[in-house]
Amino acid sequence: GQNIDQPTEMTATEGAIVQINCTYQTSGFNGLFWYQQHAGEAPTFLSYNVLDGLEEKGRFSSFLSRSKGYSYLLLKELQMKDSASYLCAVRSFSGGYNKLIFGAGTRLAVHP
Amino acid sequence: DAGITQSPRYKITETGRQVTLMCHQTWSHSYMFWYRQDLGHGLRLIYYSAAADITDKGEVPDGYVVSRSKTENFPLTLESATRSQTSVYFCASSEPRGRQGLTYEQYFGPGTRLTVT
């Protein structure tokens, strides 16, 4: 079957670094996405990995290891506005099309 | 640049009624999607469309109907609403680009919060 696991909640301090992990089991792996979703709002795209390694984009970085079925999102210099849910999503080619399978999300609370 | 919009933003309806949620995008993206988001389940795909007049089922299509006569619109209809369809519904669109045409992040609308009583 297809399964994505990520922690339900995390807390961190303003200015610190936090790592949100995501493990997945899926067939037809075709890329991994991270989305940010503030409460009551739509998800917005953060990063995309299809090859192993680290992708850096400003304060946010995302890492992928396909052999381990593992990814993480690294947030540096945390700001209060980073308090949000972070969704890990795996793109899987199955049933004739590419579909995104979302994890339940990790709710991050940043404290002063 | 309006992007992707959904209407209504909030809807309360009764069990058994038919409800249509509207989605409109101004980017001419070929792909459009409908998801529902429930606590503890993440986003689950209901239906998707690869182009006008091409639609297909996702993970949880039962009780829903879609159509796509124009590229920019992708309405979702609940034929006979049930309490289990109380959820937040997100429409999304995307267009393949980037390395080998594989990168295609999805752009989400603001969502419709539907309550079925």
PDB file of all heavy atoms in Angstrom, chain A residues 30 33 35 37 41-43 45 48 50 55 87 91 97-98 100 102-104, chain B residues 35 37 40 42-43 45 48 57-58 90 99 102-106 108-110:
ATOM      1  N   ASN A  30       7.745   9.257  -7.836  1.00  0.00           N
ATOM      2  CA  ASN A  30       8.002  10.184  -8.928  1.00  0.00           C
ATOM      3  C   ASN A  30       8.220  11.602  -8.401  1.00  0.00           C
ATOM      4  O   ASN A  30       7.915  12.573  -9.085  1.00  0.00           O
ATOM      5  CB  ASN A  30       6.813  10.140  -9.888  1.00  0.00           C
ATOM      6  CG  ASN A  30       7.200  10.518 -11.297  1.00  0.00           C
ATOM      7  OD1 ASN A  30       8.351  10.811 -11.585  1.00  0.00           O
ATOM      8  ND2 ASN A  30       6.225  10.526 -12.188  1.00  0.00           N
ATOM      9  N   PHE A  33       7.084  16.425  -2.509  1.00  0.00           N
ATOM     10  CA  PHE A  33       6.790  17.848  -2.341  1.00  0.00           C
ATOM     11  C   PHE A  33       6.589  18.166  -0.865  1.00  0.00           C
ATOM     12  O   PHE A  33       6.115  17.334  -0.098  1.00  0.00           O
ATOM     13  CB  PHE A  33       5.495  18.220  -3.068  1.00  0.00           C
ATOM     14  CG  PHE A  33       5.548  18.092  -4.566  1.00  0.00           C
ATOM     15  CD1 PHE A  33       5.472  16.843  -5.177  1.00  0.00           C
ATOM     16  CD2 PHE A  33       5.660  19.214  -5.369  1.00  0.00           C
ATOM     17  CE1 PHE A  33       5.514  16.722  -6.551  1.00  0.00           C
ATOM     18  CE2 PHE A  33       5.694  19.103  -6.747  1.00  0.00           C
ATOM     19  CZ  PHE A  33       5.612  17.859  -7.339  1.00  0.00           C
ATOM     20  N   TYR A  35       4.602  21.245   1.317  1.00  0.00           N
ATOM     21  CA  TYR A  35       3.695  22.385   1.265  1.00  0.00           C
ATOM     22  C   TYR A  35       3.559  22.962   2.668  1.00  0.00           C
ATOM     23  O   TYR A  35       3.640  22.256   3.668  1.00  0.00           O
ATOM     24  CB  TYR A  35       2.304  21.960   0.770  1.00  0.00           C
ATOM     25  CG  TYR A  35       2.199  21.739  -0.710  1.00  0.00           C
ATOM     26  CD1 TYR A  35       2.605  20.543  -1.291  1.00  0.00           C
ATOM     27  CD2 TYR A  35       1.691  22.727  -1.538  1.00  0.00           C
ATOM     28  CE1 TYR A  35       2.510  20.348  -2.652  1.00  0.00           C
ATOM     29  CE2 TYR A  35       1.583  22.537  -2.910  1.00  0.00           C
ATOM     30  CZ  TYR A  35       1.990  21.341  -3.461  1.00  0.00           C
ATOM     31  OH  TYR A  35       1.893  21.148  -4.814  1.00  0.00           O
ATOM     32  N   GLN A  37       0.896  25.166   5.093  1.00  0.00           N
ATOM     33  CA  GLN A  37      -0.506  25.546   5.184  1.00  0.00           C
ATOM     34  C   GLN A  37      -0.765  26.252   6.507  1.00  0.00           C
ATOM     35  O   GLN A  37      -0.714  25.626   7.571  1.00  0.00           O
ATOM     36  CB  GLN A  37      -1.416  24.324   5.057  1.00  0.00           C
ATOM     37  CG  GLN A  37      -2.896  24.678   5.013  1.00  0.00           C
ATOM     38  CD  GLN A  37      -3.792  23.471   4.814  1.00  0.00           C
ATOM     39  OE1 GLN A  37      -3.429  22.344   5.146  1.00  0.00           O
ATOM     40  NE2 GLN A  37      -4.972  23.692   4.262  1.00  0.00           N
ATOM     41  N   GLU A  41      -6.164  28.451   5.714  1.00  0.00           N
ATOM     42  CA  GLU A  41      -5.741  28.892   4.391  1.00  0.00           C
ATOM     43  C   GLU A  41      -5.419  27.706   3.491  1.00  0.00           C
ATOM     44  O   GLU A  41      -5.426  26.552   3.928  1.00  0.00           O
ATOM     45  CB  GLU A  41      -4.525  29.812   4.509  1.00  0.00           C
ATOM     46  CG  GLU A  41      -4.822  31.089   5.265  1.00  0.00           C
ATOM     47  CD  GLU A  41      -3.625  32.030   5.310  1.00  0.00           C
ATOM     48  OE1 GLU A  41      -2.628  31.765   4.611  1.00  0.00           O
ATOM     49  OE2 GLU A  41      -3.694  33.026   6.041  1.00  0.00           O
ATOM     50  N   ALA A  42      -5.116  28.002   2.239  1.00  0.00           N
ATOM     51  CA  ALA A  42      -4.758  26.955   1.280  1.00  0.00           C
ATOM     52  C   ALA A  42      -3.294  26.558   1.434  1.00  0.00           C
ATOM     53  O   ALA A  42      -2.467  27.360   1.865  1.00  0.00           O
ATOM     54  CB  ALA A  42      -4.989  27.472  -0.137  1.00  0.00           C
ATOM     55  N   PRO A  43      -2.961  25.326   1.094  1.00  0.00           N
ATOM     56  CA  PRO A  43      -1.547  24.928   1.057  1.00  0.00           C
ATOM     57  C   PRO A  43      -0.801  25.712  -0.012  1.00  0.00           C
ATOM     58  O   PRO A  43      -1.348  26.003  -1.083  1.00  0.00           O
ATOM     59  CB  PRO A  43      -1.600  23.436   0.686  1.00  0.00           C
ATOM     60  CG  PRO A  43      -2.989  23.009   0.969  1.00  0.00           C
ATOM     61  CD  PRO A  43      -3.851  24.204   0.750  1.00  0.00           C
ATOM     62  N   PHE A  45       3.076  25.832  -2.084  1.00  0.00           N
ATOM     63  CA  PHE A  45       4.241  25.027  -2.436  1.00  0.00           C
ATOM     64  C   PHE A  45       5.511  25.581  -1.799  1.00  0.00           C
ATOM     65  O   PHE A  45       5.768  26.783  -1.823  1.00  0.00           O
ATOM     66  CB  PHE A  45       4.382  25.011  -3.964  1.00  0.00           C
ATOM     67  CG  PHE A  45       5.661  24.426  -4.466  1.00  0.00           C
ATOM     68  CD1 PHE A  45       5.853  23.065  -4.500  1.00  0.00           C
ATOM     69  CD2 PHE A  45       6.674  25.256  -4.929  1.00  0.00           C
ATOM     70  CE1 PHE A  45       7.032  22.521  -4.972  1.00  0.00           C
ATOM     71  CE2 PHE A  45       7.863  24.725  -5.416  1.00  0.00           C
ATOM     72  CZ  PHE A  45       8.040  23.359  -5.439  1.00  0.00           C
ATOM     73  N   TYR A  48      10.464  20.839  -3.834  1.00  0.00           N
ATOM     74  CA  TYR A  48      10.279  19.627  -4.634  1.00  0.00           C
ATOM     75  C   TYR A  48      11.613  18.908  -4.734  1.00  0.00           C
ATOM     76  O   TYR A  48      12.636  19.530  -5.037  1.00  0.00           O
ATOM     77  CB  TYR A  48       9.776  20.016  -6.021  1.00  0.00           C
ATOM     78  CG  TYR A  48       9.820  18.914  -7.057  1.00  0.00           C
ATOM     79  CD1 TYR A  48       8.923  17.869  -7.016  1.00  0.00           C
ATOM     80  CD2 TYR A  48      10.754  18.952  -8.088  1.00  0.00           C
ATOM     81  CE1 TYR A  48       8.946  16.861  -7.978  1.00  0.00           C
ATOM     82  CE2 TYR A  48      10.791  17.956  -9.050  1.00  0.00           C
ATOM     83  CZ  TYR A  48       9.879  16.920  -8.994  1.00  0.00           C
ATOM     84  OH  TYR A  48       9.908  15.934  -9.939  1.00  0.00           O
ATOM     85  N   VAL A  50      13.237  15.252  -6.475  1.00  0.00           N
ATOM     86  CA  VAL A  50      13.033  14.008  -7.214  1.00  0.00           C
ATOM     87  C   VAL A  50      14.310  13.159  -7.191  1.00  0.00           C
ATOM     88  O   VAL A  50      14.239  11.935  -7.306  1.00  0.00           O
ATOM     89  CB  VAL A  50      12.556  14.271  -8.654  1.00  0.00           C
ATOM     90  CG1 VAL A  50      13.645  14.941  -9.476  1.00  0.00           C
ATOM     91  CG2 VAL A  50      12.066  12.998  -9.306  1.00  0.00           C
ATOM     92  N   GLU A  55      17.982  20.202  -1.376  1.00  0.00           N
ATOM     93  CA  GLU A  55      17.572  21.359  -2.165  1.00  0.00           C
ATOM     94  C   GLU A  55      17.395  22.519  -1.202  1.00  0.00           C
ATOM     95  O   GLU A  55      16.631  22.414  -0.250  1.00  0.00           O
ATOM     96  CB  GLU A  55      16.256  21.086  -2.896  1.00  0.00           C
ATOM     97  CG  GLU A  55      16.320  20.018  -3.973  1.00  0.00           C
ATOM     98  CD  GLU A  55      16.885  20.548  -5.274  1.00  0.00           C
ATOM     99  OE1 GLU A  55      16.970  21.784  -5.439  1.00  0.00           O
ATOM    100  OE2 GLU A  55      17.249  19.719  -6.132  1.00  0.00           O
ATOM    101  N   LEU A  87       3.016  19.945   5.067  1.00  0.00           N
ATOM    102  CA  LEU A  87       2.492  18.735   4.446  1.00  0.00           C
ATOM    103  C   LEU A  87       3.551  18.113   3.541  1.00  0.00           C
ATOM    104  O   LEU A  87       4.075  18.784   2.649  1.00  0.00           O
ATOM    105  CB  LEU A  87       1.251  19.059   3.611  1.00  0.00           C
ATOM    106  CG  LEU A  87       0.182  19.947   4.239  1.00  0.00           C
ATOM    107  CD1 LEU A  87      -0.960  20.168   3.247  1.00  0.00           C
ATOM    108  CD2 LEU A  87      -0.341  19.331   5.515  1.00  0.00           C
ATOM    109  N   ARG A  91       4.560  12.090  -5.002  1.00  0.00           N
ATOM    110  CA  ARG A  91       3.922  11.867  -6.289  1.00  0.00           C
ATOM    111  C   ARG A  91       4.228  10.449  -6.721  1.00  0.00           C
ATOM    112  O   ARG A  91       5.386  10.015  -6.742  1.00  0.00           O
ATOM    113  CB  ARG A  91       4.418  12.857  -7.336  1.00  0.00           C
ATOM    114  CG  ARG A  91       3.653  12.734  -8.658  1.00  0.00           C
ATOM    115  CD  ARG A  91       3.943  13.896  -9.563  1.00  0.00           C
ATOM    116  NE  ARG A  91       5.340  13.899  -9.962  1.00  0.00           N
ATOM    117  CZ  ARG A  91       5.989  14.993 -10.364  1.00  0.00           C
ATOM    118  NH1 ARG A  91       5.352  16.144 -10.397  1.00  0.00           N
ATOM    119  NH2 ARG A  91       7.245  14.936 -10.719  1.00  0.00           N
ATOM    120  N   TYR A  97      -1.808   7.442 -14.029  1.00  0.00           N
ATOM    121  CA  TYR A  97      -1.562   8.872 -13.905  1.00  0.00           C
ATOM    122  C   TYR A  97      -0.694   9.147 -12.692  1.00  0.00           C
ATOM    123  O   TYR A  97      -0.557   8.301 -11.806  1.00  0.00           O
ATOM    124  CB  TYR A  97      -2.879   9.649 -13.816  1.00  0.00           C
ATOM    125  CG  TYR A  97      -3.629   9.482 -12.506  1.00  0.00           C
ATOM    126  CD1 TYR A  97      -3.557  10.460 -11.521  1.00  0.00           C
ATOM    127  CD2 TYR A  97      -4.424   8.374 -12.270  1.00  0.00           C
ATOM    128  CE1 TYR A  97      -4.245  10.318 -10.327  1.00  0.00           C
ATOM    129  CE2 TYR A  97      -5.111   8.224 -11.079  1.00  0.00           C
ATOM    130  CZ  TYR A  97      -5.019   9.210 -10.109  1.00  0.00           C
ATOM    131  OH  TYR A  97      -5.697   9.060  -8.933  1.00  0.00           O
ATOM    132  N   ASN A  98      -0.111  10.337 -12.679  1.00  0.00           N
ATOM    133  CA  ASN A  98       0.671  10.788 -11.528  1.00  0.00           C
ATOM    134  C   ASN A  98      -0.286  11.381 -10.508  1.00  0.00           C
ATOM    135  O   ASN A  98      -1.017  12.312 -10.813  1.00  0.00           O
ATOM    136  CB  ASN A  98       1.677  11.871 -11.934  1.00  0.00           C
ATOM    137  CG  ASN A  98       2.943  11.303 -12.503  1.00  0.00           C
ATOM    138  OD1 ASN A  98       3.593  10.483 -11.874  1.00  0.00           O
ATOM    139  ND2 ASN A  98       3.294  11.704 -13.705  1.00  0.00           N
ATOM    140  N   LEU A 100      -0.749  12.832  -6.347  1.00  0.00           N
ATOM    141  CA  LEU A 100      -0.093  13.265  -5.127  1.00  0.00           C
ATOM    142  C   LEU A 100      -0.773  12.617  -3.935  1.00  0.00           C
ATOM    143  O   LEU A 100      -1.993  12.702  -3.797  1.00  0.00           O
ATOM    144  CB  LEU A 100      -0.175  14.779  -4.974  1.00  0.00           C
ATOM    145  CG  LEU A 100       0.889  15.656  -5.610  1.00  0.00           C
ATOM    146  CD1 LEU A 100       0.685  17.100  -5.194  1.00  0.00           C
ATOM    147  CD2 LEU A 100       2.285  15.206  -5.231  1.00  0.00           C
ATOM    148  N   PHE A 102      -0.838  12.786   0.076  1.00  0.00           N
ATOM    149  CA  PHE A 102      -0.439  13.686   1.143  1.00  0.00           C
ATOM    150  C   PHE A 102      -0.376  12.975   2.484  1.00  0.00           C
ATOM    151  O   PHE A 102      -1.229  12.142   2.806  1.00  0.00           O
ATOM    152  CB  PHE A 102      -1.432  14.845   1.267  1.00  0.00           C
ATOM    153  CG  PHE A 102      -1.290  15.890   0.203  1.00  0.00           C
ATOM    154  CD1 PHE A 102      -1.895  15.748  -1.035  1.00  0.00           C
ATOM    155  CD2 PHE A 102      -0.537  17.039   0.440  1.00  0.00           C
ATOM    156  CE1 PHE A 102      -1.765  16.715  -2.014  1.00  0.00           C
ATOM    157  CE2 PHE A 102      -0.396  18.009  -0.521  1.00  0.00           C
ATOM    158  CZ  PHE A 102      -1.013  17.852  -1.751  1.00  0.00           C
ATOM    159  N   GLY A 103       0.617  13.349   3.275  1.00  0.00           N
ATOM    160  CA  GLY A 103       0.617  12.974   4.668  1.00  0.00           C
ATOM    161  C   GLY A 103      -0.383  13.835   5.426  1.00  0.00           C
ATOM    162  O   GLY A 103      -0.912  14.818   4.877  1.00  0.00           O
ATOM    163  N   ALA A 104      -0.628  13.493   6.681  1.00  0.00           N
ATOM    164  CA  ALA A 104      -1.624  14.219   7.478  1.00  0.00           C
ATOM    165  C   ALA A 104      -1.127  15.591   7.913  1.00  0.00           C
ATOM    166  O   ALA A 104      -1.919  16.411   8.381  1.00  0.00           O
ATOM    167  CB  ALA A 104      -2.029  13.395   8.687  1.00  0.00           C
TER     168      ALA A 104
ATOM    169  N   TYR B  35      -9.753  18.140  -3.921  1.00  0.00           N
ATOM    170  CA  TYR B  35      -9.370  17.416  -2.713  1.00  0.00           C
ATOM    171  C   TYR B  35     -10.361  17.743  -1.603  1.00  0.00           C
ATOM    172  O   TYR B  35     -10.969  18.801  -1.587  1.00  0.00           O
ATOM    173  CB  TYR B  35      -7.987  17.871  -2.207  1.00  0.00           C
ATOM    174  CG  TYR B  35      -6.817  17.526  -3.087  1.00  0.00           C
ATOM    175  CD1 TYR B  35      -6.375  18.407  -4.080  1.00  0.00           C
ATOM    176  CD2 TYR B  35      -6.108  16.336  -2.907  1.00  0.00           C
ATOM    177  CE1 TYR B  35      -5.278  18.096  -4.866  1.00  0.00           C
ATOM    178  CE2 TYR B  35      -5.010  16.024  -3.688  1.00  0.00           C
ATOM    179  CZ  TYR B  35      -4.609  16.909  -4.665  1.00  0.00           C
ATOM    180  OH  TYR B  35      -3.510  16.604  -5.437  1.00  0.00           O
ATOM    181  N   GLN B  37     -10.184  17.837   2.740  1.00  0.00           N
ATOM    182  CA  GLN B  37      -9.241  17.803   3.856  1.00  0.00           C
ATOM    183  C   GLN B  37     -10.009  17.625   5.151  1.00  0.00           C
ATOM    184  O   GLN B  37     -10.837  18.458   5.517  1.00  0.00           O
ATOM    185  CB  GLN B  37      -8.399  19.081   3.924  1.00  0.00           C
ATOM    186  CG  GLN B  37      -7.286  19.013   4.953  1.00  0.00           C
ATOM    187  CD  GLN B  37      -6.361  20.226   4.895  1.00  0.00           C
ATOM    188  OE1 GLN B  37      -6.800  21.337   4.665  1.00  0.00           O
ATOM    189  NE2 GLN B  37      -5.073  19.993   5.081  1.00  0.00           N
ATOM    190  N   GLY B  40      -6.749  14.591  10.555  1.00  0.00           N
ATOM    191  CA  GLY B  40      -6.145  13.273  10.673  1.00  0.00           C
ATOM    192  C   GLY B  40      -5.986  12.518   9.377  1.00  0.00           C
ATOM    193  O   GLY B  40      -5.381  11.450   9.357  1.00  0.00           O
ATOM    194  N   GLY B  42      -5.270  14.305   6.202  1.00  0.00           N
ATOM    195  CA  GLY B  42      -4.567  15.039   5.172  1.00  0.00           C
ATOM    196  C   GLY B  42      -5.482  15.311   3.991  1.00  0.00           C
ATOM    197  O   GLY B  42      -6.706  15.173   4.064  1.00  0.00           O
ATOM    198  N   LEU B  43      -4.890  15.684   2.894  1.00  0.00           N
ATOM    199  CA  LEU B  43      -5.644  15.964   1.678  1.00  0.00           C
ATOM    200  C   LEU B  43      -5.849  14.671   0.897  1.00  0.00           C
ATOM    201  O   LEU B  43      -4.908  13.937   0.635  1.00  0.00           O
ATOM    202  CB  LEU B  43      -4.869  16.963   0.805  1.00  0.00           C
ATOM    203  CG  LEU B  43      -4.871  18.405   1.294  1.00  0.00           C
ATOM    204  CD1 LEU B  43      -3.655  19.139   0.760  1.00  0.00           C
ATOM    205  CD2 LEU B  43      -6.141  19.107   0.861  1.00  0.00           C
ATOM    206  N   LEU B  45      -7.532  13.037  -2.685  1.00  0.00           N
ATOM    207  CA  LEU B  45      -7.967  13.398  -4.026  1.00  0.00           C
ATOM    208  C   LEU B  45      -9.326  12.789  -4.332  1.00  0.00           C
ATOM    209  O   LEU B  45      -9.527  11.585  -4.187  1.00  0.00           O
ATOM    210  CB  LEU B  45      -6.935  12.917  -5.052  1.00  0.00           C
ATOM    211  CG  LEU B  45      -7.211  13.247  -6.509  1.00  0.00           C
ATOM    212  CD1 LEU B  45      -7.149  14.758  -6.734  1.00  0.00           C
ATOM    213  CD2 LEU B  45      -6.205  12.539  -7.418  1.00  0.00           C
ATOM    214  N   TYR B  48      -9.783  14.324 -10.623  1.00  0.00           N
ATOM    215  CA  TYR B  48      -8.847  15.193 -11.305  1.00  0.00           C
ATOM    216  C   TYR B  48      -9.223  15.270 -12.780  1.00  0.00           C
ATOM    217  O   TYR B  48      -9.999  14.460 -13.285  1.00  0.00           O
ATOM    218  CB  TYR B  48      -7.405  14.712 -11.122  1.00  0.00           C
ATOM    219  CG  TYR B  48      -7.030  13.535 -11.959  1.00  0.00           C
ATOM    220  CD1 TYR B  48      -6.281  13.677 -13.134  1.00  0.00           C
ATOM    221  CD2 TYR B  48      -7.409  12.245 -11.584  1.00  0.00           C
ATOM    222  CE1 TYR B  48      -5.945  12.578 -13.898  1.00  0.00           C
ATOM    223  CE2 TYR B  48      -7.068  11.157 -12.352  1.00  0.00           C
ATOM    224  CZ  TYR B  48      -6.338  11.316 -13.506  1.00  0.00           C
ATOM    225  OH  TYR B  48      -5.997  10.238 -14.271  1.00  0.00           O
ATOM    226  N   LYS B  57     -11.316   9.498 -11.736  1.00  0.00           N
ATOM    227  CA  LYS B  57     -11.498   9.368 -10.295  1.00  0.00           C
ATOM    228  C   LYS B  57     -10.176   9.384  -9.555  1.00  0.00           C
ATOM    229  O   LYS B  57      -9.158   8.914 -10.059  1.00  0.00           O
ATOM    230  CB  LYS B  57     -12.219   8.045  -9.987  1.00  0.00           C
ATOM    231  CG  LYS B  57     -13.607   7.961 -10.572  1.00  0.00           C
ATOM    232  CD  LYS B  57     -14.212   6.588 -10.298  1.00  0.00           C
ATOM    233  CE  LYS B  57     -15.606   6.477 -10.907  1.00  0.00           C
ATOM    234  NZ  LYS B  57     -16.200   5.139 -10.682  1.00  0.00           N
ATOM    235  N   GLY B  58     -10.219   9.911  -8.333  1.00  0.00           N
ATOM    236  CA  GLY B  58      -9.099   9.845  -7.422  1.00  0.00           C
ATOM    237  C   GLY B  58      -9.335   8.781  -6.365  1.00  0.00           C
ATOM    238  O   GLY B  58      -9.916   7.733  -6.642  1.00  0.00           O
ATOM    239  N   PHE B  90     -10.740  21.648  -1.359  1.00  0.00           N
ATOM    240  CA  PHE B  90      -9.766  22.474  -2.061  1.00  0.00           C
ATOM    241  C   PHE B  90      -9.711  22.075  -3.529  1.00  0.00           C
ATOM    242  O   PHE B  90      -9.643  20.893  -3.860  1.00  0.00           O
ATOM    243  CB  PHE B  90      -8.368  22.310  -1.465  1.00  0.00           C
ATOM    244  CG  PHE B  90      -8.186  23.004  -0.146  1.00  0.00           C
ATOM    245  CD1 PHE B  90      -8.229  22.286   1.036  1.00  0.00           C
ATOM    246  CD2 PHE B  90      -7.950  24.374  -0.095  1.00  0.00           C
ATOM    247  CE1 PHE B  90      -8.052  22.913   2.260  1.00  0.00           C
ATOM    248  CE2 PHE B  90      -7.775  25.012   1.122  1.00  0.00           C
ATOM    249  CZ  PHE B  90      -7.831  24.284   2.301  1.00  0.00           C
ATOM    250  N   ARG B  99      12.443  20.269 -15.148  1.00  0.00           N
ATOM    251  CA  ARG B  99      13.265  19.135 -15.557  1.00  0.00           C
ATOM    252  C   ARG B  99      12.401  17.999 -16.080  1.00  0.00           C
ATOM    253  O   ARG B  99      11.574  17.470 -15.367  1.00  0.00           O
ATOM    254  CB  ARG B  99      14.120  18.648 -14.386  1.00  0.00           C
ATOM    255  CG  ARG B  99      15.213  19.602 -13.991  1.00  0.00           C
ATOM    256  CD  ARG B  99      15.997  19.036 -12.841  1.00  0.00           C
ATOM    257  NE  ARG B  99      15.196  19.041 -11.625  1.00  0.00           N
ATOM    258  CZ  ARG B  99      15.706  19.173 -10.413  1.00  0.00           C
ATOM    259  NH1 ARG B  99      17.017  19.308 -10.266  1.00  0.00           N
ATOM    260  NH2 ARG B  99      14.943  19.152  -9.349  1.00  0.00           N
ATOM    261  N   LEU B 102       8.624  17.153 -15.420  1.00  0.00           N
ATOM    262  CA  LEU B 102       8.030  16.442 -14.291  1.00  0.00           C
ATOM    263  C   LEU B 102       7.605  17.367 -13.155  1.00  0.00           C
ATOM    264  O   LEU B 102       6.721  17.045 -12.398  1.00  0.00           O
ATOM    265  CB  LEU B 102       9.025  15.410 -13.738  1.00  0.00           C
ATOM    266  CG  LEU B 102       9.276  14.194 -14.618  1.00  0.00           C
ATOM    267  CD1 LEU B 102      10.301  13.288 -13.966  1.00  0.00           C
ATOM    268  CD2 LEU B 102       7.995  13.434 -14.870  1.00  0.00           C
ATOM    269  N   THR B 103       8.323  18.505 -13.024  1.00  0.00           N
ATOM    270  CA  THR B 103       7.975  19.376 -11.904  1.00  0.00           C
ATOM    271  C   THR B 103       6.631  20.022 -12.161  1.00  0.00           C
ATOM    272  O   THR B 103       6.467  20.735 -13.132  1.00  0.00           O
ATOM    273  CB  THR B 103       9.035  20.480 -11.732  1.00  0.00           C
ATOM    274  OG1 THR B 103      10.315  19.899 -11.710  1.00  0.00           O
ATOM    275  CG2 THR B 103       8.779  21.239 -10.447  1.00  0.00           C
ATOM    276  N   TYR B 104       5.675  19.797 -11.315  1.00  0.00           N
ATOM    277  CA  TYR B 104       4.443  20.521 -11.472  1.00  0.00           C
ATOM    278  C   TYR B 104       3.781  20.665 -10.113  1.00  0.00           C
ATOM    279  O   TYR B 104       2.936  19.903  -9.714  1.00  0.00           O
ATOM    280  CB  TYR B 104       3.491  19.907 -12.506  1.00  0.00           C
ATOM    281  CG  TYR B 104       3.013  18.494 -12.260  1.00  0.00           C
ATOM    282  CD1 TYR B 104       1.771  18.263 -11.702  1.00  0.00           C
ATOM    283  CD2 TYR B 104       3.767  17.405 -12.648  1.00  0.00           C
ATOM    284  CE1 TYR B 104       1.299  16.981 -11.494  1.00  0.00           C
ATOM    285  CE2 TYR B 104       3.304  16.111 -12.448  1.00  0.00           C
ATOM    286  CZ  TYR B 104       2.083  15.912 -11.871  1.00  0.00           C
ATOM    287  OH  TYR B 104       1.621  14.644 -11.671  1.00  0.00           O
ATOM    288  N   GLU B 105       4.239  21.705  -9.415  1.00  0.00           N
ATOM    289  CA  GLU B 105       3.589  21.977  -8.147  1.00  0.00           C
ATOM    290  C   GLU B 105       2.151  22.382  -8.396  1.00  0.00           C
ATOM    291  O   GLU B 105       1.814  22.958  -9.431  1.00  0.00           O
ATOM    292  CB  GLU B 105       4.331  23.077  -7.376  1.00  0.00           C
ATOM    293  CG  GLU B 105       4.295  24.458  -8.021  1.00  0.00           C
ATOM    294  CD  GLU B 105       5.524  24.706  -8.854  1.00  0.00           C
ATOM    295  OE1 GLU B 105       6.089  23.728  -9.387  1.00  0.00           O
ATOM    296  OE2 GLU B 105       5.920  25.883  -8.970  1.00  0.00           O
ATOM    297  N   GLN B 106       1.321  22.046  -7.454  1.00  0.00           N
ATOM    298  CA  GLN B 106      -0.085  22.377  -7.564  1.00  0.00           C
ATOM    299  C   GLN B 106      -0.372  23.672  -6.828  1.00  0.00           C
ATOM    300  O   GLN B 106       0.148  23.918  -5.751  1.00  0.00           O
ATOM    301  CB  GLN B 106      -0.937  21.237  -6.997  1.00  0.00           C
ATOM    302  CG  GLN B 106      -0.800  19.959  -7.806  1.00  0.00           C
ATOM    303  CD  GLN B 106      -1.709  18.851  -7.340  1.00  0.00           C
ATOM    304  OE1 GLN B 106      -2.625  19.049  -6.549  1.00  0.00           O
ATOM    305  NE2 GLN B 106      -1.468  17.651  -7.842  1.00  0.00           N
ATOM    306  N   PHE B 108      -3.231  25.881  -5.060  1.00  0.00           N
ATOM    307  CA  PHE B 108      -4.508  25.615  -4.423  1.00  0.00           C
ATOM    308  C   PHE B 108      -5.373  26.864  -4.322  1.00  0.00           C
ATOM    309  O   PHE B 108      -4.876  27.970  -4.100  1.00  0.00           O
ATOM    310  CB  PHE B 108      -4.287  25.058  -3.009  1.00  0.00           C
ATOM    311  CG  PHE B 108      -3.809  23.632  -3.002  1.00  0.00           C
ATOM    312  CD1 PHE B 108      -2.477  23.335  -3.202  1.00  0.00           C
ATOM    313  CD2 PHE B 108      -4.704  22.594  -2.809  1.00  0.00           C
ATOM    314  CE1 PHE B 108      -2.033  22.018  -3.200  1.00  0.00           C
ATOM    315  CE2 PHE B 108      -4.275  21.270  -2.800  1.00  0.00           C
ATOM    316  CZ  PHE B 108      -2.932  20.983  -3.006  1.00  0.00           C
ATOM    317  N   GLY B 109      -6.675  26.655  -4.471  1.00  0.00           N
ATOM    318  CA  GLY B 109      -7.639  27.704  -4.187  1.00  0.00           C
ATOM    319  C   GLY B 109      -7.809  27.879  -2.690  1.00  0.00           C
ATOM    320  O   GLY B 109      -7.269  27.087  -1.911  1.00  0.00           O
ATOM    321  N   PRO B 110      -8.597  28.870  -2.265  1.00  0.00           N
ATOM    322  CA  PRO B 110      -8.730  29.196  -0.845  1.00  0.00           C
ATOM    323  C   PRO B 110      -9.565  28.206  -0.057  1.00  0.00           C
ATOM    324  O   PRO B 110      -9.563  28.236   1.167  1.00  0.00           O
ATOM    325  CB  PRO B 110      -9.390  30.570  -0.856  1.00  0.00           C
ATOM    326  CG  PRO B 110     -10.146  30.614  -2.140  1.00  0.00           C
ATOM    327  CD  PRO B 110      -9.321  29.823  -3.127  1.00  0.00           C
TER     328      PRO B 110
END
